[in-house]
Amino acid sequence: MTPAELSRTVAHVVRDAVDEGALGPVGDVVPEAVKVERPRPGGAGDYASGIALKLAAAAGLPPREVAEVLRGRIAGRPGIALVEISGPGFLNITLERGAQFDVVRQVLAAPTTYGYGEALLGQVHDFVPVGDERGRIVTEVVVRLLRSQGAEARIVGQGEPGQVPAVVPCPAPGLAELVGADAARWAMLRAARHDRPRTDAGELLAQRESNSLFRVRYAYSRSRALSRNARELGFAAVPGAVPEGERLLGLLRDHPGVLEGAARHQAPDRLARHLEAVADELLRFQHAVLPLGDEKPSAAHRSRLALAEAAGTVLAGGLSLLGVDAPEFL
């Protein structure tokens, strides 16, 4: 279960509770979407939501009482193992173990569209062409992100009305000629739209950890190498429990929400930073994937390989949305 799916589940529970009168006359404050996020330090569960606090005033009830109404209803939904109430009325949700690892199956089953959704369905966005190189690249990627979430988005012709994303121009015209198209695109997209992108050619071309694009591409190439090595050892990926991969798994679960946020705020840099986080965690995790020495491949190795392949799939899909190549060999 992804955060987006959990958000929809909680939203449905809230609407059902309101429709049944369990929360009293809350009026028009019922949200279309419910925010779920990782618990803060010291929190419990896999995800947390403060929806009860938002509904309490309109319902005329204490937040913890609203939370208790929602707790029992959420706990009965498929994929939910436990719902606890903390603090003034936060809902802390623990997923069933099987539901947690279903995300690997989801990624591998939809390798080019994992994270796509319909959160922005019905929205229409027209953008006007811009002459600035960075503005053109950012607009192009924003259109892709919006479409990935169900919105209609396009770049209209000259003279037609449309939006113009506010983008600080690249201070180094012709950057692609110096460092190549991929490195230039990454530099322009990795920086927030109101920030100046890094343009140091030596750093953008460096094949080392300080170069974020290199890390992302290298992590993807390592995921492909792990698959090739596993085939040579006679085993393939099979999704399953990977306790030591929980941090990487959490990042994959977050991917749909990252795409939605990047589209909603027209901020490609959010996706770029997320890919960096996935890459860094995959590079830490990779050493546990293959058998060592005379060790025979086991169910644990198959599950770890599936998680590594899913992470590589997310990296490739994210780079594709940004218009950056993901080489299998690096």
Side-chain angles (χ1 to χ4, degrees):
M1 179 178 289
T2 67
E5 292 170 334
L6 180 59
S7 173
R8 288 194 291 269
T9 295
V10 177
H12 289 156
V13 166
V14 170
R15 286 193 286 271
D16 287 347
V18 171
D19 290 344
E20 294 168 14
L23 296 177
V26 299
D28 298 327
V29 301
V30 179
E32 289 294 324
V34 172
K35 183 178 182 180
V36 296
E37 56 189 351
R38 298 289 188 86
R40 296 177 181 178
D46 297 309
Y47 294 98
S49 175
I51 183 62
L53 283 72
K54 293 184 178 181
L55 294 174
L61 298 170
R64 288 188 68 92
E65 188 171 332
V66 175
E68 187 59 43
V69 171
L70 300 177
R71 185 198 66 78
R73 293 165 180 260
I74 296 171
R77 294 299 177 106
I80 306 298
L82 178 68
V83 183
E84 301 171 283
I85 301 173
S86 64
F90 289 101
L91 292 163
N92 297 94
I93 304 169
T94 301
L95 304 179
E96 291 180 353
R97 301 307 294 177
Q100 292 188 38
F101 296 109
D102 275 350
V103 67
V104 174
R105 297 185 179 89
Q106 293 174 24
V107 174
L108 298 178
T112 59
T113 59
Y114 174 67
Y116 287 32
E118 298 182 345
L120 305 184
L121 191 66
Q123 292 191 13
V124 178
H125 298 265
D126 289 339
F127 297 91
V128 298
V130 292
D132 170 70
E133 181 183 21
R134 187 184 182 205
R136 176 181 57 78
I137 289 173
V138 169
T139 302
E140 169 196 319
V141 175
V142 165
V143 166
R144 293 181 186 175
L145 289 168
L146 287 166
R147 289 175 177 173
S148 79
Q149 300 306 307
E152 293 184 33
R154 62 173 183 158
I155 299 175
V156 298
Q158 293 284 353
E160 296 184 59
Q163 306 172 56
V164 180
V167 179
V168 172
C170 180
L175 183 62
E177 298 177 6
L178 295 175
V179 300
D182 285 339
R185 288 180 71 89
W186 178 266
M188 295 181 198
L189 296 167
R190 171 60 180 80
R193 295 188 317 180
H194 56 273
D195 290 335
R196 289 162 58 98
R198 299 180 64 179
T199 57
D200 181 83
E203 184 58 35
L204 292 175
L205 293 173
Q207 302 291 292
R208 56 175 179 253
E209 290 185 0
S210 60
N211 182 343
S212 58
L213 176 58
F214 171 75
R215 294 202 312 275
V216 172
R217 288 171 133 182
Y218 179 63
Y220 170 70
S221 71
R222 287 299 304 147
S223 74
R224 303 307 302 142
L226 291 171
S227 299
R228 292 193 300 271
N229 293 339
R231 286 196 297 272
E232 293 175 0
L233 293 172
F235 74 99
V238 178
V242 189
E244 64 272 38
E246 179 57 36
R247 288 180 61 185
L248 181 56
L249 188 67
L251 290 168
L252 301 191
R253 285 199 301 261
D254 291 345
H255 186 66
V258 171
L259 284 188
E260 179 184 335
R264 190 180 297 277
H265 297 282
Q266 300 182 14
D269 60 290
R270 294 189 177 202
L271 174 56
R273 290 195 301 273
H274 179 66
L275 296 182
E276 288 180 42
V278 173
D280 290 343
E281 193 57 40
L282 174 55
L283 291 174
R284 282 189 284 268
F285 174 75
Q286 64 168 326
H287 305 291
V289 173
L290 299 176
L292 298 176
D294 296 331
E295 188 180 11
K296 300 296 183 183
S298 66
H301 293 112
R302 295 181 179 89
S303 298
R304 294 169 192 157
L305 179 62
L307 178 54
E309 289 185 353
T313 297
V314 165
L315 292 176
L319 287 173
S320 177
L321 275 173
L322 297 177
V324 176
D325 183 45
E328 185 167 337
F329 298 92
L330 191 62

